[in-house]
Amino acid sequence: MSTKPSTSTVLIIDEIHPSIFPMLESIGVEADYRPDIKPEEVPAALQGFDGLIVRSKMRITAGTLAQADKLTYVARAGAGVDNIDEQALQERGVILLAANEGNSQAVGEFTVGLLVSLLRNVSRSHSQVQQKVWLREENRGEEISGKTIGIIGYGNMGQSFARTVSGFGCRLLAYDRYAPEKINLPVELVSLEQLQAEADIVSLHIPFIPENLRFANDAFFSAFRKPIWFLNTSRGEVVDQQALVRHLQSGSIKGAALDVLENEKLQTLNPQQQQDFEYLASAPNVILTPHIAGWTHESYVKINEVLVQKIGQVLAG
């Protein structure tokens, strides 16, 4: 551990694993930890700080940064940066850091877990046995082996899912609109149209950016040549939930596993969202989990390791 004196300060406004403090100290950064700070107090509090570490407490906007006189970077303790106005940061010359690598293994493993649970009726049959209902034939499932899996989005999360699922003896196709060069054999680089023509299983790993709002809409689902199993562990806003429900009802989607929803504040659903949610929550071929794909005890620490490494690189110029 370095013994050089602190030359930089960072404000942390969300709860974070305590391993962050010795890590920051080792690169000469002094942390002011205020997880209970109210969002409206953050702009004034940022005065004098070189950095800000945030999870999901608030949206970071131009207004948030208005009084930040020394700010060099904003570090998001997680993968998605959809709660941060990237343009506002760019206009002020503030660097945006994210820890996508920190929870990619967790997401890859969890997505495979969802897939196994979906195809083998694990969640449904567990609930039945709890009620002393013993149905073997009705819960006969399908094997992953021999199927074609389409991965949409091939960043850290998509790559992790591909590595984790590759041992099942399946064919892997990947489509990435922004970084197709990341796709290498044995994963096949394909167009979205080819993926829609050949996939049995589809897993979304795309960020929520304006272009991806309701990416998986009615036209998207209608373009598949055969009924698919559908997984989303990315962001709820990239799926048109109403369209998803319609295709589940028609049978063009055989089943879905969703770790994310369009509106995750379940007490604030509008009438349409409520109707869709009630269908998804009661459908025997749907699995819902509370945005936990990347959320493990290990990833909580790994996120800190990634962030501190990146902060160190920024400070080193």
Side-chain angles (χ1 to χ4, degrees):
M1 187 180 288
S2 170
T3 56
K4 69 180 182 180
S6 293
T7 56
S8 179
T9 57
V10 63
L11 176 65
I12 303 175
I13 62 171
D14 274 288
E15 283 191 20
I16 201 161
H17 191 276
S19 61
I20 192 81
F21 304 111
M23 291 183 199
L24 287 169
E25 190 181 325
S26 75
I27 61 167
V29 175
E30 182 182 320
D32 189 345
Y33 186 51
R34 302 191 210 171
D36 298 323
I37 192 170
K38 294 180 174 61
E40 62 269 20
E41 297 169 346
V42 171
L46 273 174
Q47 291 180 46
F49 282 97
D50 301 292
L52 168 67
I53 295 178
V54 60
R55 264 181 44 216
S56 50
K57 166 170 282 183
M58 62 184 291
R59 181 157 172 75
I60 305 301
T61 64
T64 314
L65 307 180
Q67 300 177 57
D69 50 348
K70 287 182 64 186
L71 202 67
T72 304
Y73 62 87
V74 171
R76 163 82 167 93
V81 292
D82 37 282
N83 63 322
I84 296 172
D85 184 337
E86 295 187 52
Q87 188 176 343
L89 267 63
Q90 287 172 3
E91 287 171 0
R92 293 181 60 99
V94 175
I95 297 167
L96 175 59
L97 307 174
N100 307 57
E101 304 89 342
N103 59 4
S104 59
Q105 181 64 28
V107 171
E109 290 183 11
F110 189 81
T111 309
V112 171
L114 286 179
L115 180 57
V116 173
S117 186
L118 191 61
L119 268 63
R120 299 302 303 275
N121 302 314
V122 174
S123 180
R124 182 173 78 199
S125 55
H126 168 70
S127 298
Q128 291 170 350
V129 174
Q130 283 183 314
Q131 304 300 317
K132 296 187 177 177
V133 176
W134 194 267
L135 299 174
R136 292 189 71 222
E137 180 56 36
E138 292 85 345
N139 285 304
R140 187 194 292 262
E142 296 185 18
E143 295 177 14
I144 299 171
S145 176
K147 288 189 169 52
T148 297
I149 299 180
I151 302 170
I152 298 179
Y154 206 68
N156 289 288
M157 308 307 167
Q159 291 171 47
S160 176
F161 173 58
R163 282 194 306 272
T164 311
V165 81
S166 61
F168 282 84
C170 45
R171 180 181 173 217
L172 296 176
L173 312 178
Y175 164 74
D176 192 300
R177 191 178 355 180
Y178 301 105
E181 70 280 357
K182 292 180 178 178
I183 303 167
N184 298 301
L185 292 172
V187 180
E188 301 172 45
L189 167 63
V190 296
S191 65
L192 181 59
E193 291 74 19
Q194 185 181 344
L195 188 149
Q196 289 169 316
E198 300 181 18
D200 302 293
I201 296 160
V202 178
S203 188
L204 279 192
H205 298 277
I206 60 177
F208 174 46
I209 52 177
E211 305 92 278
N212 286 341
L213 178 63
R214 299 193 182 92
F215 170 87
N217 55 19
D218 187 66
F220 169 86
F221 291 123
S222 297
F224 284 91
R225 302 269 181 87
K226 49 188 170 181
I228 58 165
W229 299 94
F230 180 73
L231 309 166
N232 185 18
T233 53
S234 58
R235 284 290 188 267
E237 295 92 340
V238 303
V239 175
D240 180 337
Q241 216 158 271
Q242 218 178 328
L244 174 68
V245 167
R246 281 198 301 272
H247 284 268
L248 280 162
Q249 290 170 330
S250 73
S252 60
I253 298 177
K254 298 168 81 170
L258 310 172
D259 183 52
V260 288
L261 294 173
E262 186 178 60
N263 181 357
E264 295 176 3
K265 295 177 178 170
L266 300 182
Q267 309 311 315
T268 67
L269 302 180
N270 65 37
Q272 184 61 57
Q273 290 171 340
Q274 182 66 35
Q275 185 179 327
D276 295 338
F277 177 78
E278 286 173 4
Y279 176 84
L280 294 170
S282 60
N285 58 339
V286 174
I287 297 171
L288 302 176
T289 53
H291 204 144
I292 54 173
W295 199 235
T296 63
H297 294 287
E298 292 84 356
S299 70
Y300 203 18
V301 177
K302 287 181 190 174
I303 283 169
N304 287 351
E305 292 169 350
V306 171
L307 275 192
V308 172
Q309 180 188 17
K310 291 183 177 182
I311 290 169
Q313 290 168 347
V314 167
L315 297 180

